[in-house]
Amino acid sequence: EHVVPVANATTPSPTPLLASSPALTNAAEMGDVQQQWTCVVPHPKLRVRESVITRLQPDDGTFAVVVDQRKYTAGVHSFTVELMASQHSFNGAYFGVTSNPQFPTTHGGNVYVGATADSWAYDPCGNHAVRQDIWKKLIGCRAGAINDQITITVDMNKHTMSIAVNGQDCRVIHHKLPAAVYPAITLGFPQDQIKVTFTHL
């Protein structure tokens, strides 16, 4: 059974270690060598150290989301999420894109990537494509084990998002992306840890 964290927690959390820059930048301007995740808005429950993102205590049942400053408007881009550590098989984790750089604050804060009309995601725990809280089971590829690598490819020429798991090309899981999107991730439980690597194709 797929279980996700619940809303309405109020416990304070540690201060994030990485500050954000006020300027949003087109991905092509950042180049291929810039690998660190640079938050639009840092999240107090996520520690971001260059390309490694870790969910912090407490275990309060909330989602923690960060959006990267890369703005995809044209061309083909990808980022690979390496699953480094999890005590819950990455339940509550979602990887994808959003058209809203201020996500999730504009939705009240406690919401995951893929739950809204302005976000598109892959759920590695249940192997679903997720958008507007609608879950579509995927056949073939399966992720969720430690050291698995999930590559999310955003083709802004075709306005699609596809995934690959451990180098195995799976499928296009989202169509009709808007004119601009930003990479976004959600982690649901403390001690979940991922490493993100960006590529401009």
Side-chain angles (χ1 to χ4, degrees), residues 29-137:
E29 297 174 2
M30 299 186 76
D32 297 343
V33 297
Q34 209 277 4
Q35 289 298 328
Q36 74 178 24
W37 187 283
T38 306
C39 302
V40 174
V41 180
H43 195 289
K45 297 187 182 75
L46 291 174
R47 181 178 65 212
V48 181
R49 287 179 172 166
E50 296 185 348
S51 60
V52 176
I53 303 174
T54 307
R55 174 66 191 259
L56 304 174
Q57 297 285 0
D59 187 356
D60 57 7
T62 61
F63 296 105
V65 178
V66 283
V67 177
D68 188 78
Q69 291 187 9
R70 290 167 176 79
K71 181 180 180 181
Y72 298 155
T73 58
V76 182
H77 310 267
S78 72
F79 60 97
T80 298
V81 179
E82 180 180 352
L83 307 182
M84 299 179 68
S86 179
Q87 296 183 346
H88 300 275
S89 300
F90 289 94
N91 187 12
Y94 303 88
F95 312 133
V97 296
T98 178
S99 59
N100 176 8
Q102 299 300 316
F103 188 98
T105 56
T106 51
H107 297 288
N110 188 29
V111 66
Y112 58 90
V113 178
T116 60
D118 59 2
S119 62
W120 299 257
Y122 171 66
D123 153 40
C125 180
N127 199 38
H128 295 94
V130 189
R131 185 179 181 228
Q132 286 186 275
D133 213 20
I134 297 174
W135 304 57
K136 295 181 180 180
K137 191 74 173 180

